[in-house]
Amino acid sequence: MLKKVLPYFSAVVLALLTITAVQAYEVPDKIVIERPSKNRKLNTWVTKVSFAHGFHAIRIPCQKCHHKESDKTLGEFVACRDCHNSDDPNDKTGFYRAWHSDGPPSCLGCHTQMRAKGGKNPVGCTTACHKPG
Ligand code: HEC
Ligand code: HEC
Ligand code: HEC
């Protein structure tokens, strides 16, 4: 009896697990990154940044950027700005350094390193990221 029921039961459990995993998160294609309204503007030309998230997510492992994501939090993908929102440009956990610190997972840090190895990653402030308008 058990032998007959077991495969059916496993299939239902598997289906449920799959549904839960799919519903846990969606991988956004485009994201607009904007300074928290309480933070001051560090330069007159700083504009919000349109980030091709999907383009990056198919080339780079998720955890390389989502550096606090672990086996325990898998599927939560807490937004960077939920932690990195302080106004201090020297604060490692602040808004500015998340995108501009020397190494990955910062945008500029990764791009500078890859460019040094012959990559085509753009690094211009107003040509790559903070495009006017
Ligand atoms: C090149 C770096 C990078 C890679 C690689 C990357 N992400 Fe992201 N992801 C980001 C950034 C930056 C944001 C925007 C966070 C913010 O607005 O604070 C983001 C946002 C998200 C969000 C939305 C979070 C929210 O609540 O707004 C999800 C979900 C997500 N990523 C999942 C993934 C998954 C899954 C992968 C791998 C398949 C992945 N990401 C790969 C950098 C990356
Ligand atoms: C759960 C909170 C949390 C989330 C979510 C998070 N970070 Fe961080 N981040 C930290 C903390 C805390 C540090 C300080 C060093 C450490 O503990 O790893 C840090 C350090 C960094 C650094 C190094 C800064 C420096 O000056 O050395 C970068 C770059 C960075 N994070 C980028 C990101 C990006 C990009 C995302 C989103 C894709 C992100 N972080 C998501 C908490 C977080
Ligand atoms: C871990 C490495 C890494 C991080 C972090 C990263 N990038 Fe990139 N980025 C790449 C790679 C790889 C390419 C493709 C370069 C090529 O075409 O050879 C790229 C290309 C780009 C391009 C040019 C292609 C396009 O979409 O127009 C822009 C703009 C860009 N990234 C912006 C960002 C921004 C904004 C962030 C942070 C929110 C970021 N990147 C974080 C690796 C990274």
Side-chain angles (χ1 to χ4, degrees):
M1 175 62 187
L2 194 62
K3 270 206 176 131
K4 264 189 186 164
V5 173
L6 213 53
Y8 170 72
F9 180 71
S10 318
V12 171
V13 170
L14 196 69
L16 281 175
L17 282 176
T18 315
I19 291 167
T20 322
V22 168
Q23 281 180 340
Y25 60 82
E26 255 174 53
V27 184
D29 187 34
K30 293 260 187 274
I31 295 180
V32 176
I33 302 175
E34 211 170 350
R35 179 178 78 254
S37 52
K38 65 175 174 55
N39 292 20
R40 77 207 122 110
K41 207 172 180 168
L42 295 173
N43 246 316
T44 47
W45 46 260
V46 176
T47 58
K48 54 188 171 190
V49 172
S50 172
F51 174 48
H53 182 264
F55 172 94
H56 285 80
I58 56 169
R59 288 170 171 78
I60 300 159
C62 316
Q63 265 151 307
K64 197 144 188 185
C65 296
H66 293 274
H67 68 107
K68 292 292 185 190
E69 193 70 15
S70 70
D71 293 348
K72 285 184 187 154
T73 60
L74 201 65
E76 282 180 27
F77 287 93
V78 177
C80 323
R81 77 191 112 79
D82 285 357
C83 300
H84 290 273
N85 51 30
S86 105
D87 194 24
D88 181 357
N90 298 314
D91 178 359
K92 280 191 176 186
T93 66
F95 187 73
Y96 177 81
R97 293 201 56 112
W99 328 114
H100 303 97
S101 79
D102 287 343
S106 109
C107 317
L108 186 59
C110 177
H111 279 212
T112 309
Q113 279 187 5
M114 292 194 83
R115 221 181 151 85
K117 291 180 194 144
K120 292 193 174 70
N121 313 56
V123 291
C125 311
T126 54
T127 49
C129 294
H130 302 284
K131 293 187 177 149

PDB file of all heavy atoms in Angstrom, residues 55-56 59 107-108 110-124 127-129:
ATOM      1  N   PHE A  55      20.833  41.830 -17.280  1.00  0.00           N
ATOM      2  CA  PHE A  55      22.072  41.728 -18.068  1.00  0.00           C
ATOM      3  C   PHE A  55      23.222  41.243 -17.182  1.00  0.00           C
ATOM      4  O   PHE A  55      24.020  40.400 -17.570  1.00  0.00           O
ATOM      5  CB  PHE A  55      22.377  43.107 -18.671  1.00  0.00           C
ATOM      6  CG  PHE A  55      23.714  43.262 -19.354  1.00  0.00           C
ATOM      7  CD1 PHE A  55      23.827  43.061 -20.724  1.00  0.00           C
ATOM      8  CD2 PHE A  55      24.845  43.632 -18.634  1.00  0.00           C
ATOM      9  CE1 PHE A  55      25.063  43.227 -21.359  1.00  0.00           C
ATOM     10  CE2 PHE A  55      26.078  43.800 -19.257  1.00  0.00           C
ATOM     11  CZ  PHE A  55      26.186  43.587 -20.630  1.00  0.00           C
ATOM     12  N   HIS A  56      23.313  41.794 -15.977  1.00  0.00           N
ATOM     13  CA  HIS A  56      24.367  41.400 -15.037  1.00  0.00           C
ATOM     14  C   HIS A  56      24.097  40.026 -14.434  1.00  0.00           C
ATOM     15  O   HIS A  56      25.005  39.232 -14.251  1.00  0.00           O
ATOM     16  CB  HIS A  56      24.501  42.438 -13.910  1.00  0.00           C
ATOM     17  CG  HIS A  56      25.186  43.698 -14.337  1.00  0.00           C
ATOM     18  ND1 HIS A  56      24.537  44.696 -15.030  1.00  0.00           N
ATOM     19  CD2 HIS A  56      26.474  44.127 -14.187  1.00  0.00           C
ATOM     20  CE1 HIS A  56      25.391  45.686 -15.284  1.00  0.00           C
ATOM     21  NE2 HIS A  56      26.569  45.372 -14.780  1.00  0.00           N
ATOM     22  N   ARG A  59      25.298  37.037 -16.222  1.00  0.00           N
ATOM     23  CA  ARG A  59      26.748  36.947 -16.431  1.00  0.00           C
ATOM     24  C   ARG A  59      27.531  36.716 -15.149  1.00  0.00           C
ATOM     25  O   ARG A  59      28.664  36.224 -15.193  1.00  0.00           O
ATOM     26  CB  ARG A  59      27.266  38.247 -17.074  1.00  0.00           C
ATOM     27  CG  ARG A  59      26.868  38.398 -18.521  1.00  0.00           C
ATOM     28  CD  ARG A  59      27.176  39.801 -19.048  1.00  0.00           C
ATOM     29  NE  ARG A  59      26.986  39.879 -20.486  1.00  0.00           N
ATOM     30  CZ  ARG A  59      25.796  39.988 -21.071  1.00  0.00           C
ATOM     31  NH1 ARG A  59      24.702  40.040 -20.344  1.00  0.00           N
ATOM     32  NH2 ARG A  59      25.697  40.032 -22.391  1.00  0.00           N
ATOM     33  N   CYS A 107      29.756  48.645  -7.944  1.00  0.00           N
ATOM     34  CA  CYS A 107      29.705  48.768  -9.407  1.00  0.00           C
ATOM     35  C   CYS A 107      31.075  49.211  -9.927  1.00  0.00           C
ATOM     36  O   CYS A 107      31.680  48.560 -10.772  1.00  0.00           O
ATOM     37  CB  CYS A 107      28.688  49.828  -9.845  1.00  0.00           C
ATOM     38  SG  CYS A 107      27.120  49.832  -8.978  1.00  0.00           S
ATOM     39  N   LEU A 108      31.537  50.337  -9.395  1.00  0.00           N
ATOM     40  CA  LEU A 108      32.777  50.924  -9.890  1.00  0.00           C
ATOM     41  C   LEU A 108      33.972  50.026  -9.576  1.00  0.00           C
ATOM     42  O   LEU A 108      34.885  49.883 -10.382  1.00  0.00           O
ATOM     43  CB  LEU A 108      32.969  52.320  -9.262  1.00  0.00           C
ATOM     44  CG  LEU A 108      34.144  53.137  -9.772  1.00  0.00           C
ATOM     45  CD1 LEU A 108      34.050  53.373 -11.274  1.00  0.00           C
ATOM     46  CD2 LEU A 108      34.213  54.477  -9.043  1.00  0.00           C
ATOM     47  N   CYS A 110      34.069  46.700  -9.281  1.00  0.00           N
ATOM     48  CA  CYS A 110      34.116  45.557 -10.201  1.00  0.00           C
ATOM     49  C   CYS A 110      34.522  46.012 -11.593  1.00  0.00           C
ATOM     50  O   CYS A 110      35.377  45.414 -12.225  1.00  0.00           O
ATOM     51  CB  CYS A 110      32.780  44.826 -10.246  1.00  0.00           C
ATOM     52  SG  CYS A 110      32.773  43.470 -11.439  1.00  0.00           S
ATOM     53  N   HIS A 111      33.914  47.094 -12.059  1.00  0.00           N
ATOM     54  CA  HIS A 111      34.215  47.580 -13.416  1.00  0.00           C
ATOM     55  C   HIS A 111      35.689  47.961 -13.558  1.00  0.00           C
ATOM     56  O   HIS A 111      36.308  47.646 -14.565  1.00  0.00           O
ATOM     57  CB  HIS A 111      33.327  48.780 -13.750  1.00  0.00           C
ATOM     58  CG  HIS A 111      31.944  48.391 -14.190  1.00  0.00           C
ATOM     59  ND1 HIS A 111      31.216  49.108 -15.101  1.00  0.00           N
ATOM     60  CD2 HIS A 111      31.158  47.342 -13.844  1.00  0.00           C
ATOM     61  CE1 HIS A 111      30.033  48.518 -15.303  1.00  0.00           C
ATOM     62  NE2 HIS A 111      29.970  47.452 -14.535  1.00  0.00           N
ATOM     63  N   THR A 112      36.247  48.627 -12.541  1.00  0.00           N
ATOM     64  CA  THR A 112      37.648  49.047 -12.621  1.00  0.00           C
ATOM     65  C   THR A 112      38.561  47.819 -12.685  1.00  0.00           C
ATOM     66  O   THR A 112      39.484  47.761 -13.483  1.00  0.00           O
ATOM     67  CB  THR A 112      38.017  49.918 -11.399  1.00  0.00           C
ATOM     68  OG1 THR A 112      37.047  50.952 -11.287  1.00  0.00           O
ATOM     69  CG2 THR A 112      39.374  50.547 -11.539  1.00  0.00           C
ATOM     70  N   GLN A 113      38.254  46.812 -11.838  1.00  0.00           N
ATOM     71  CA  GLN A 113      39.080  45.594 -11.829  1.00  0.00           C
ATOM     72  C   GLN A 113      38.988  44.850 -13.152  1.00  0.00           C
ATOM     73  O   GLN A 113      39.987  44.377 -13.688  1.00  0.00           O
ATOM     74  CB  GLN A 113      38.632  44.666 -10.700  1.00  0.00           C
ATOM     75  CG  GLN A 113      39.194  45.075  -9.350  1.00  0.00           C
ATOM     76  CD  GLN A 113      38.894  44.048  -8.260  1.00  0.00           C
ATOM     77  OE1 GLN A 113      38.345  42.969  -8.527  1.00  0.00           O
ATOM     78  NE2 GLN A 113      39.243  44.372  -7.033  1.00  0.00           N
ATOM     79  N   MET A 114      37.772  44.729 -13.704  1.00  0.00           N
ATOM     80  CA  MET A 114      37.618  43.969 -14.944  1.00  0.00           C
ATOM     81  C   MET A 114      38.253  44.710 -16.112  1.00  0.00           C
ATOM     82  O   MET A 114      38.828  44.116 -17.014  1.00  0.00           O
ATOM     83  CB  MET A 114      36.136  43.690 -15.221  1.00  0.00           C
ATOM     84  CG  MET A 114      35.536  42.723 -14.216  1.00  0.00           C
ATOM     85  SD  MET A 114      33.939  42.064 -14.709  1.00  0.00           S
ATOM     86  CE  MET A 114      34.441  40.735 -15.795  1.00  0.00           C
ATOM     87  N   ARG A 115      38.161  46.023 -16.078  1.00  0.00           N
ATOM     88  CA  ARG A 115      38.751  46.843 -17.128  1.00  0.00           C
ATOM     89  C   ARG A 115      40.269  46.701 -17.141  1.00  0.00           C
ATOM     90  O   ARG A 115      40.892  46.642 -18.202  1.00  0.00           O
ATOM     91  CB  ARG A 115      38.384  48.302 -16.877  1.00  0.00           C
ATOM     92  CG  ARG A 115      38.031  49.029 -18.152  1.00  0.00           C
ATOM     93  CD  ARG A 115      37.699  50.464 -17.844  1.00  0.00           C
ATOM     94  NE  ARG A 115      38.023  51.296 -18.973  1.00  0.00           N
ATOM     95  CZ  ARG A 115      37.210  51.488 -20.003  1.00  0.00           C
ATOM     96  NH1 ARG A 115      36.044  50.901 -20.037  1.00  0.00           N
ATOM     97  NH2 ARG A 115      37.581  52.248 -20.999  1.00  0.00           N
ATOM     98  N   ALA A 116      40.854  46.614 -15.943  1.00  0.00           N
ATOM     99  CA  ALA A 116      42.303  46.445 -15.841  1.00  0.00           C
ATOM    100  C   ALA A 116      42.732  45.117 -16.472  1.00  0.00           C
ATOM    101  O   ALA A 116      43.873  44.959 -16.904  1.00  0.00           O
ATOM    102  CB  ALA A 116      42.736  46.500 -14.379  1.00  0.00           C
ATOM    103  N   LYS A 117      41.779  44.161 -16.534  1.00  0.00           N
ATOM    104  CA  LYS A 117      42.100  42.862 -17.154  1.00  0.00           C
ATOM    105  C   LYS A 117      41.644  42.809 -18.607  1.00  0.00           C
ATOM    106  O   LYS A 117      41.502  41.744 -19.187  1.00  0.00           O
ATOM    107  CB  LYS A 117      41.407  41.743 -16.365  1.00  0.00           C
ATOM    108  CG  LYS A 117      41.989  41.543 -14.975  1.00  0.00           C
ATOM    109  CD  LYS A 117      41.252  40.409 -14.261  1.00  0.00           C
ATOM    110  CE  LYS A 117      41.561  40.384 -12.775  1.00  0.00           C
ATOM    111  NZ  LYS A 117      40.395  39.993 -11.977  1.00  0.00           N
ATOM    112  N   GLY A 118      41.336  43.967 -19.178  1.00  0.00           N
ATOM    113  CA  GLY A 118      40.973  44.015 -20.597  1.00  0.00           C
ATOM    114  C   GLY A 118      39.478  44.030 -20.878  1.00  0.00           C
ATOM    115  O   GLY A 118      39.080  43.949 -22.040  1.00  0.00           O
ATOM    116  N   GLY A 119      38.651  44.123 -19.834  1.00  0.00           N
ATOM    117  CA  GLY A 119      37.192  44.152 -20.029  1.00  0.00           C
ATOM    118  C   GLY A 119      36.719  45.460 -20.649  1.00  0.00           C
ATOM    119  O   GLY A 119      37.471  46.435 -20.709  1.00  0.00           O
ATOM    120  N   LYS A 120      35.463  45.464 -21.114  1.00  0.00           N
ATOM    121  CA  LYS A 120      34.918  46.667 -21.749  1.00  0.00           C
ATOM    122  C   LYS A 120      34.021  47.443 -20.788  1.00  0.00           C
ATOM    123  O   LYS A 120      33.251  48.306 -21.203  1.00  0.00           O
ATOM    124  CB  LYS A 120      34.091  46.282 -22.981  1.00  0.00           C
ATOM    125  CG  LYS A 120      34.935  45.728 -24.113  1.00  0.00           C
ATOM    126  CD  LYS A 120      34.114  45.663 -25.403  1.00  0.00           C
ATOM    127  CE  LYS A 120      34.949  45.244 -26.595  1.00  0.00           C
ATOM    128  NZ  LYS A 120      35.348  43.829 -26.514  1.00  0.00           N
ATOM    129  N   ASN A 121      34.081  47.118 -19.500  1.00  0.00           N
ATOM    130  CA  ASN A 121      33.170  47.721 -18.527  1.00  0.00           C
ATOM    131  C   ASN A 121      33.341  49.231 -18.451  1.00  0.00           C
ATOM    132  O   ASN A 121      34.439  49.718 -18.227  1.00  0.00           O
ATOM    133  CB  ASN A 121      33.456  47.128 -17.139  1.00  0.00           C
ATOM    134  CG  ASN A 121      33.574  45.626 -17.174  1.00  0.00           C
ATOM    135  OD1 ASN A 121      34.395  45.094 -17.928  1.00  0.00           O
ATOM    136  ND2 ASN A 121      32.788  44.945 -16.399  1.00  0.00           N
ATOM    137  N   PRO A 122      32.258  49.984 -18.626  1.00  0.00           N
ATOM    138  CA  PRO A 122      32.379  51.435 -18.579  1.00  0.00           C
ATOM    139  C   PRO A 122      32.639  51.949 -17.162  1.00  0.00           C
ATOM    140  O   PRO A 122      32.144  51.374 -16.198  1.00  0.00           O
ATOM    141  CB  PRO A 122      31.009  51.908 -19.082  1.00  0.00           C
ATOM    142  CG  PRO A 122      30.075  50.796 -18.794  1.00  0.00           C
ATOM    143  CD  PRO A 122      30.884  49.530 -18.864  1.00  0.00           C
ATOM    144  N   VAL A 123      33.427  53.009 -17.039  1.00  0.00           N
ATOM    145  CA  VAL A 123      33.746  53.569 -15.724  1.00  0.00           C
ATOM    146  C   VAL A 123      33.498  55.084 -15.632  1.00  0.00           C
ATOM    147  O   VAL A 123      33.736  55.678 -14.587  1.00  0.00           O
ATOM    148  CB  VAL A 123      35.218  53.279 -15.305  1.00  0.00           C
ATOM    149  CG1 VAL A 123      35.428  51.805 -15.025  1.00  0.00           C
ATOM    150  CG2 VAL A 123      36.203  53.747 -16.367  1.00  0.00           C
ATOM    151  N   GLY A 124      33.039  55.698 -16.711  1.00  0.00           N
ATOM    152  CA  GLY A 124      32.806  57.151 -16.687  1.00  0.00           C
ATOM    153  C   GLY A 124      31.598  57.507 -15.845  1.00  0.00           C
ATOM    154  O   GLY A 124      30.524  56.940 -16.027  1.00  0.00           O
ATOM    155  N   THR A 127      29.037  59.174 -18.221  1.00  0.00           N
ATOM    156  CA  THR A 127      28.816  58.478 -19.493  1.00  0.00           C
ATOM    157  C   THR A 127      28.290  57.062 -19.257  1.00  0.00           C
ATOM    158  O   THR A 127      27.491  56.552 -20.034  1.00  0.00           O
ATOM    159  CB  THR A 127      30.126  58.407 -20.323  1.00  0.00           C
ATOM    160  OG1 THR A 127      31.170  57.944 -19.471  1.00  0.00           O
ATOM    161  CG2 THR A 127      30.467  59.755 -20.899  1.00  0.00           C
ATOM    162  N   ALA A 128      28.704  56.417 -18.157  1.00  0.00           N
ATOM    163  CA  ALA A 128      28.268  55.043 -17.895  1.00  0.00           C
ATOM    164  C   ALA A 128      27.005  55.003 -17.042  1.00  0.00           C
ATOM    165  O   ALA A 128      26.046  54.304 -17.351  1.00  0.00           O
ATOM    166  CB  ALA A 128      29.391  54.265 -17.203  1.00  0.00           C
ATOM    167  N   CYS A 129      27.005  55.731 -15.949  1.00  0.00           N
ATOM    168  CA  CYS A 129      25.948  55.562 -14.947  1.00  0.00           C
ATOM    169  C   CYS A 129      25.071  56.794 -14.748  1.00  0.00           C
ATOM    170  O   CYS A 129      23.873  56.729 -14.935  1.00  0.00           O
ATOM    171  CB  CYS A 129      26.577  55.135 -13.620  1.00  0.00           C
ATOM    172  SG  CYS A 129      27.335  53.490 -13.714  1.00  0.00           S
TER     173      CYS A 129
END
